[in-house]
Amino acid sequence: MTTAKVIKEVLNWVKLLAIALIISVVVNAFLLQPYQVKGHSMEPSYDDSDYTMVWKPQDRYEYGEVVIVDRRIDRERQWLDRFVEHPIIQRVFRTEDDNLIIKRVVGQAGDVLEFKGNQLFRNGELLQEDYIKEEMYGNPDQTVTVPDGHIYVMGDNRNHSSDSRAIGSIPLTHVLGKVIFHK
């Protein structure tokens, strides 16, 4: 094989890999994104280091759905965030992001959530949540109304979860998508 043929073959492989990477980044940005659970806030449903797949094209989230959210609600998400969150990009540039968290939807826009006696009520009805790890404790009695364009999320391990109780209602622009698979 001549040097010219070797160079041509290498360039063809480089082009193919570049195209595959671009397709992967676009799919990750707009359709499906892998996510690895970090921490214990979603036990017993999801364990630390579980892998999930997130479906992104969604504008409404139902009660009980598990979602991935960007907890930095004090800033607007930029279009570039979708690309920077790609696992390959994060590994290459060593920029793992702990701002993305996994939580369960417990409130939608307009819902009135009440915390009374360490129990959660939505629109006056006590929530029956068979997925939570244990009864909540140490929550002050309070009432929260979920604003338009937001959801309210909590971890299944309520006593060890940094969620909407601490960071506030999550703007829909900060919801990456819902979990459709986990292992």
Side-chain angles (χ1 to χ4, degrees):
M1 218 178 198
T2 66
T3 305
K5 284 184 178 181
V6 169
I7 291 172
K8 185 177 179 182
E9 187 69 22
V10 167
L11 287 176
N12 283 337
W13 277 103
V14 168
K15 280 189 230 174
L16 184 65
L17 290 173
I19 290 169
L21 179 61
I22 290 169
I23 290 170
S24 170
V25 169
V26 168
V27 166
N28 184 84
F30 298 104
L31 294 176
L32 289 169
Q33 178 176 341
Y35 174 80
Q36 186 176 18
V37 176
K38 296 176 187 107
H40 304 280
S41 71
M42 284 299 289
E43 289 177 348
S45 304
Y46 297 82
D47 294 319
D48 184 37
S49 299
D50 278 359
Y51 287 96
T52 67
M53 189 60 70
V54 178
W55 179 249
K56 290 187 161 190
Q58 192 141 342
D59 59 352
R60 179 163 172 76
Y61 299 93
E62 301 298 327
Y63 301 123
E65 286 184 331
V66 176
V67 295
I68 306 299
V69 300
D70 182 343
R71 74 164 116 212
R72 298 170 295 180
I73 63 172
D74 57 335
R75 76 184 252 305
E76 278 191 45
R77 280 186 54 83
Q78 307 296 317
W79 66 271
L80 191 58
D81 289 338
R82 290 177 172 256
F83 299 100
V84 173
E85 293 160 355
H86 190 286
I88 292 174
I89 302 297
Q90 288 185 352
R91 283 193 184 110
V92 167
F93 294 102
R94 290 180 165 69
T95 60
E96 285 209 32
D97 192 351
D98 63 348
N99 292 308
L100 302 182
I101 55 176
I102 182 170
K103 300 296 174 203
R104 190 174 300 274
V105 177
V106 297
Q108 298 175 347
D111 284 340
V112 176
L113 302 172
E114 296 175 87
F115 296 88
K116 290 192 282 189
N118 292 318
Q119 293 183 307
L120 176 58
F121 295 81
R122 180 174 55 228
N123 301 323
E125 292 187 32
L126 176 64
L127 291 188
Q128 302 300 322
E129 301 173 289
D130 57 350
Y131 44 78
I132 63 173
K133 185 170 184 172
E134 60 193 4
E135 184 179 325
M136 290 188 293
Y137 59 82
N139 286 299
D141 288 356
Q142 65 175 333
T143 301
V144 175
T145 301
V146 182
D148 284 341
H150 290 70
I151 59 174
Y152 199 90
V153 298
M154 296 177 72
D156 291 355
N157 188 357
R158 301 282 163 85
N159 298 318
H160 303 283
S161 177
S162 176
D163 49 39
S164 286
R165 293 171 292 175
I167 59 178
S169 296
I170 307 295
L172 292 176
T173 57
H174 284 62
V175 182
L176 275 64
K178 75 174 183 175
V179 173
I180 58 170
F181 169 81
H182 103 274
K183 179 181 182 289

